[in-house]
Amino acid sequence: MAFAITQNCCNDASCLSVCPVNCIHPTPDEPDFGKTDLLYIDPRSCIDCGACADACPVDAITRVSRLSPSQAIYAELNADYYRDRPVDHVWGAPTFPPADIGSVSLKRVAVVGTGPAACYTATALLRQTDAAVTFFDKLPVPGGLARYGVAPDHTSTRRIGEHFRSLFVHSRVTMRLGVEVGVDVTVEELSRTFDAVVYAVGADQDRQLPLESEVVPMSARTLVGWYTGHPDVPADAVDLRGVTRVVVIGNGNVALDAARILTAPVEDLVGTDISAHALAALRDSAVREVTVLGRRGPEVAAFTRSECQALVDRTSVPVLVAGDDDLSSVLAALPLSASAAPLATAPRADEAETGDGAPRIVFSFGRAPVAVRPGALDVRGSGTSDAGIASSIPADLVLQATGYRGSALPGLPFDADRGTVRNVEGRVVDSEDRPVAGAYVVGWAKRGATGGIGDNKLDAERTVELMLADSLSAATSSRRETAGRRPLFGRAGR
């Protein structure tokens, strides 16, 4: 009986390296890698060895015969990925470290940040070099996105933090917590002290939302930090008193996390890593409806299928859909692998009406936000049957979950258009695209706020490859210069 990869998949590809028959795809050298919700096991080729399950850092791989009723769909999803793909799983060409890897001159490397991208970077450095790594983080505890960005009820995904715990006590690792680069220590000071500096500072700002109102919706970042106990988010940052209806602008996974936490039965959150103040507030909460608002249709929904499936499978909170007249037919026509496919059987909801008092979640498609005003969000239809038609959705609280972008770090080149550290494939560059010696970037600060925890592994490893290549190039140039000087010094000494 084959194994199947389920909702918790973090895409870090740890399972790929241990599979003896190469039956897990897409692999990092395939075009689909980083573009699918999950990695998939081919049931036709799986030999049932279980090596992948042992290697998975988030317990996302399970024997098909042991899938729970709510997970049974993942056996079908794994098989569906290979429906039109050949059985022959050809191995990619092996890769090896450079033959002269021993000539790498990296002795001290700084990594700014302690999230997944930073940890994957340090892991690659410690594995391939003799360098000592110093982590810098402005927060008093390490973890970054893995600690403060993953919802508390996603207990398996949060186990990635345990995966990195041994890294922080490695004999060649030093932790400098509570130290903010750009405030307590400058970029220039780091560059003078270390052979290389890798910036893994993430994305800490919201993308701008063009609304016609002066009322600013609450950032979903604030809500997430509130329920995960982020040190920079005070306990009273979110006030749910008197809030019965919430609208979340945006329909990515962060929006779904917000909807799920705000409507969850409190007993489902007890025993998780949710902050004590959030648990107390949710215990007294009167939230009865959360609308997840998407500007476009379900065929281009930003959330992943696995997160949507989890909401639909949660029997304690019904999920409904709203949109133009064609919504039902569009949902019915979606392929099995589509993000919004689990919504095909969801009942329709009238956004202007309240439910029967029990908590519910409404996915509203084809609604462009226009203005936030007291008690409502004004929207404009963008579907085929309601294009341009204005309406309002009642809302006591409006959240913005439309994506993140980075902010400038003093002394480091910044690309204001992309919201990232200015770089070319991970090498930090100046305004004229000239490499800044010894400066590198990984994760969201490198490529923008796209991809999850596992996507940072390949990203970090590629940046480390560049760092090693630069170090070897510098070592080769130094040897050539020394070799060219020897005859001259020899003659001068006679």
Side-chain angles (χ1 to χ4, degrees):
M1 180 63 70
F3 281 72
I5 298 178
T6 64
Q7 174 191 353
N8 303 326
C9 179
C10 69
N11 280 281
D12 90 334
S14 295
C15 53
L16 297 177
S17 61
V18 299
C19 177
V21 293
N22 195 29
C23 72
I24 305 175
H25 296 267
T27 61
D29 57 348
E30 293 174 343
D32 280 352
F33 188 79
K35 298 178 182 178
T36 59
D37 292 354
L38 315 170
L39 301 179
Y40 301 95
I41 296 175
D42 188 345
R44 303 167 298 182
S45 303
C46 177
I47 61 173
D48 199 26
C49 68
C52 55
D54 292 337
C56 179
V58 293
D59 294 341
I61 304 178
T62 305
R63 199 182 300 272
V64 168
S65 60
R66 296 179 181 174
L67 292 172
S68 67
S70 64
Q71 292 178 319
I73 185 65
Y74 289 100
E76 189 174 354
L77 286 170
N78 278 250
D80 183 69
Y81 181 78
Y82 295 97
R83 201 170 304 281
D84 299 317
R85 288 175 168 83
V87 176
D88 184 22
H89 298 293
V90 179
W91 292 95
T95 59
F96 303 97
D100 52 351
I101 188 70
S103 300
V104 169
S105 58
L106 297 172
K107 300 301 180 186
R108 302 184 67 198
V109 178
V111 178
V112 182
T114 58
C119 292
Y120 285 126
T121 299
T123 299
L125 283 167
L126 294 170
R127 185 178 64 242
Q128 300 182 66
T129 74
D130 295 326
V133 175
T134 300
F135 282 104
F136 289 85
D137 199 314
K138 67 178 182 179
L139 298 179
V141 290
L145 178 68
R147 187 182 189 100
Y148 296 116
V150 177
D153 58 339
H154 279 1
T155 53
S156 293
T157 305
R158 291 180 68 86
R159 289 196 187 106
I160 196 73
E162 299 175 13
H163 183 65
F164 296 132
R165 189 170 298 165
S166 61
L167 175 66
F168 299 137
V169 295
H170 191 284
S171 60
R172 284 189 279 135
V173 168
T174 301
M175 304 297 293
R176 296 290 305 278
L177 302 177
V179 178
E180 184 172 359
V181 174
V183 177
D184 303 308
V185 60
T186 67
V187 166
E188 292 76 12
E189 288 171 329
L190 289 183
S191 65
R192 289 197 304 266
T193 306
F194 295 90
D195 298 318
V197 183
V198 184
Y199 294 91
V201 292
D204 60 354
Q205 301 293 321
D206 291 309
R207 291 177 181 168
Q208 292 298 314
L209 193 62
L211 296 176
E212 297 175 3
S213 61
E214 295 182 0
V215 178
V216 179
M218 176 183 290
S219 170
R221 286 187 306 107
T222 301
L223 181 73
V224 172
W226 176 73
Y227 61 59
T228 59
H230 195 291
D232 291 342
V233 180
D236 60 356
V238 178
D239 186 358
L240 296 179
R241 290 174 297 181
V243 175
T244 59
R245 302 188 72 173
V246 179
V247 175
V248 186
I249 301 173
N251 64 8
N253 281 352
V254 172
L256 269 60
D257 284 346
R260 189 182 63 257
I261 294 295
L262 288 172
T263 58
V266 173
E267 56 269 21
D268 290 354
L269 301 175
V270 173
T272 69
D273 290 332
I274 192 169
S275 64
H277 55 259
L279 184 63
L282 290 169
R283 195 181 298 277
D284 296 331
S285 169
V287 173
R288 291 295 175 264
E289 179 178 287
V290 178
T291 297
V292 179
L293 190 78
R295 180 172 56 86
R296 297 182 292 176
E299 66 277 13
V300 289
F303 52 78
T304 60
R305 192 199 192 285
S306 56
E307 290 300 312
C308 181
Q309 185 72 53
L311 282 184
V312 171
D313 289 341
R314 191 176 60 159
T315 57
S316 58
V317 180
V319 172
L320 298 86
V321 295
D324 70 3
D325 296 340
D326 297 329
L327 178 61
S328 296
S329 59
V330 172
L331 285 169
L334 292 175
L336 178 68
S337 60
S339 298
L343 300 175
T345 58
R348 293 290 295 254
D350 186 338
E351 294 158 299
E353 296 180 0
T354 58
D356 58 7
R360 68 178 191 173
I361 294 173
V362 178
F363 283 84
S364 180
F365 294 102
R367 301 285 188 270
V370 176
V372 180
R373 55 186 177 83
L377 172 67
D378 294 335
V379 299
R380 185 174 292 114
S382 58
T384 55
S385 64
D386 64 353
I389 297 177
S391 61
S392 294
I393 302 175
D396 303 306
L397 173 65
V398 177
L399 296 170
Q400 176 183 342
T402 51
Y404 305 143
R405 54 179 282 119
S407 56
L409 191 65
L412 200 63
F414 184 69
D415 186 334
D417 292 333
R418 298 178 61 233
T420 63
V421 173
R422 188 175 177 84
N423 76 95
V424 175
E425 297 182 343
R427 289 186 179 99
V428 177
V429 297
D430 63 18
S431 59
E432 297 181 3
D433 287 343
R434 295 174 300 194
V436 177
Y440 302 88
V441 62
V442 294
W444 284 2
K446 168 186 174 181
R447 66 183 188 272
T450 59
I453 291 173
D455 298 292
N456 290 309
K457 183 177 183 180
L458 180 62
D459 177 279
E461 290 174 347
R462 286 176 173 170
T463 294
V464 170
E465 288 174 4
L466 292 178
M467 188 190 311
L468 298 182
D470 290 347
S471 178
L472 290 171
S473 177
T476 300
S477 298
S478 177
R479 287 196 299 270
R480 287 173 178 168
E481 291 176 7
T482 302
R485 289 195 296 266
R486 282 172 185 162
L488 175 62
F489 294 155
R491 288 194 298 272
R494 289 175 183 165

